[in-house]
Amino acid sequence: MLHIGCHLSFSKGFLHMGKEAVSIGADTFQFFTRNPRGGNAKTWNSDDALALRELMRNENFAPVLAHAPYTLNPCSQTPETVDFAKRAFSEDLRNLELIPEAMYNFHPGSHTGAGTERGIAMIADLLNEFVTTGTKTTVLLETMAGKGSEVGKSFEELASILSLAQAKEKIGICLDTCHVYDGGYDLRDNLEMVLEQFDRIIGLSKLRAVHLNDSKNPIGSRKDRHEKIGEGSIGIEAFAKIINHPALRNLPFFLETPNELPGYQKEIETLRALYRE
């Protein structure tokens, strides 16, 4: 079956997000662990988390996806920024022990002038400091579009991070369709070739989730501007192929399109209608 959800606000708690997801026909969702621009995390309520886990079991949910703040940058050349990255990363993993079924996604970071090789090493250092074989949550590196000094704009860069990680079994990849398309990978017209590249360089077994977003810009633009499904340069036909591809169809899909709940509900209905059971 198609496991699909969207990004929901954590402001009213876990159970509220779960009920919102069900109300729009979703069977998973994504949420920010704290303000996406940084700051301290709110206190997580263990009873609320337990109630969500019960709802997930009853509604046959796929794993939910926790998203780190955008400001989490472990390869910054500013010590204070790296300190925040370490604090937020460790706090989030500790909090996520309340929902062991969840995964944790983060943008690898921007090297801010130090060079890609140095950035890769610093990202791997973060993973090796806080992710062990005993970590309950699977951590996902997100594919990036390549703005500025972003690390993770190519499959090779992500593979280099994974090669330096010690607890490899606890680390995977979240593929963002807008990001990889804006980064130059032709998901629209050459999906098979892109997935073959991914498998050869990283391994499809490492792909654990997909951010499903159309793009406002043409391929290779490196802009990272999300568009509603079917209204951007990737197009609805490509998304039909993506959600039905044998290598992808059983993964959880998460919408990050510019929508409110009614818009997400419409996209979920459209995509479910395109899915071949």
Side-chain angles (χ1 to χ4, degrees):
M1 67 182 291
L2 177 64
H3 290 296
I4 189 167
C6 63
H7 193 95
L8 298 175
S9 171
F10 190 16
S11 61
K12 295 182 180 179
F14 288 117
L15 184 58
H16 181 82
M17 288 190 291
K19 290 180 176 179
E20 273 193 330
V22 171
S23 75
I24 61 171
D27 60 2
T28 185
F29 61 86
Q30 175 180 271
F31 66 98
F32 279 117
T33 57
R34 63 189 70 211
N35 187 303
R37 299 301 171 189
N40 296 321
K42 63 179 290 187
T43 300
W44 292 23
N45 184 290
S46 58
D47 290 337
D48 187 32
L50 187 62
L52 171 65
R53 294 175 66 187
E54 182 66 21
L55 179 145
M56 290 172 65
R57 284 191 290 271
N58 292 339
E59 299 291 341
N60 193 29
F61 265 43
V64 298
L65 188 61
H67 199 304
Y70 296 133
T71 48
L72 193 156
N73 183 9
C75 57
S76 170
Q77 300 312 295
T78 303
E80 293 80 8
T81 302
V82 175
D83 288 345
F84 170 75
K86 291 182 177 182
R87 176 170 64 84
F89 195 90
S90 60
E91 287 177 356
D92 288 351
L93 287 182
R94 185 166 60 250
N95 284 333
L96 280 164
E97 292 185 2
L98 292 174
I99 313 176
E101 300 87 352
M103 298 183 288
Y104 181 56
N105 178 74
F106 76 106
H107 294 183
S110 297
H111 62 71
T112 61
T116 300
E117 186 175 350
R118 176 61 179 156
I120 287 170
M122 294 179 74
I123 297 162
D125 285 346
L126 175 81
L127 293 171
N128 290 334
E129 184 171 353
F130 297 109
V131 183
T132 69
T133 55
T135 300
K136 293 182 179 179
T137 302
T138 298
V139 175
L140 306 184
L141 297 157
E142 184 171 338
T143 58
M144 303 308 296
K147 304 190 314 294
S149 62
E150 280 181 342
V151 180
K153 63 183 179 293
S154 70
F155 298 159
E156 286 84 0
E157 289 180 10
L158 293 168
S160 293
I161 297 169
L162 291 171
S163 72
L164 296 173
Q166 295 169 1
K168 290 180 171 59
E169 69 277 16
K170 302 302 298 185
I171 302 168
I173 302 294
C174 175
L175 186 148
D176 186 300
T177 56
C178 172
H179 292 180
V180 296
Y181 188 76
D182 282 16
Y185 293 96
D186 193 356
L187 289 172
R188 185 183 66 190
D189 298 322
N190 287 292
L191 177 60
E192 285 294 343
M193 183 180 71
V194 173
L195 293 178
E196 286 171 7
Q197 283 182 279
F198 188 99
D199 193 33
R200 173 170 46 83
I201 296 167
I202 297 175
L204 282 168
S205 64
K206 284 294 183 183
L207 185 54
R208 303 295 300 276
V210 177
H211 281 163
L212 211 57
N213 303 303
D214 215 324
S215 175
K216 290 182 180 292
N217 293 288
I219 186 171
S221 63
R222 301 196 184 280
K223 296 287 188 180
D224 184 11
R225 295 288 306 281
H226 297 188
E227 183 54 281
K228 295 175 183 177
I229 299 297
E231 296 185 18
S233 59
I234 298 177
I236 195 66
E237 291 182 6
F239 285 105
K241 293 177 183 177
I242 289 167
I243 63 173
N244 284 292
H245 193 281
L248 306 176
R249 60 183 283 113
N250 294 317
L251 294 172
F253 294 95
F254 300 91
L255 295 161
E256 296 179 317
T257 50
N259 271 311
E260 302 295 333
L261 280 180
Y264 282 133
Q265 182 172 9
K266 182 179 178 181
E267 288 184 335
I268 290 169
E269 290 171 352
T270 297
L271 291 164
R272 289 203 185 283
L274 292 170
Y275 189 75
R276 298 188 295 272
E277 295 290 353

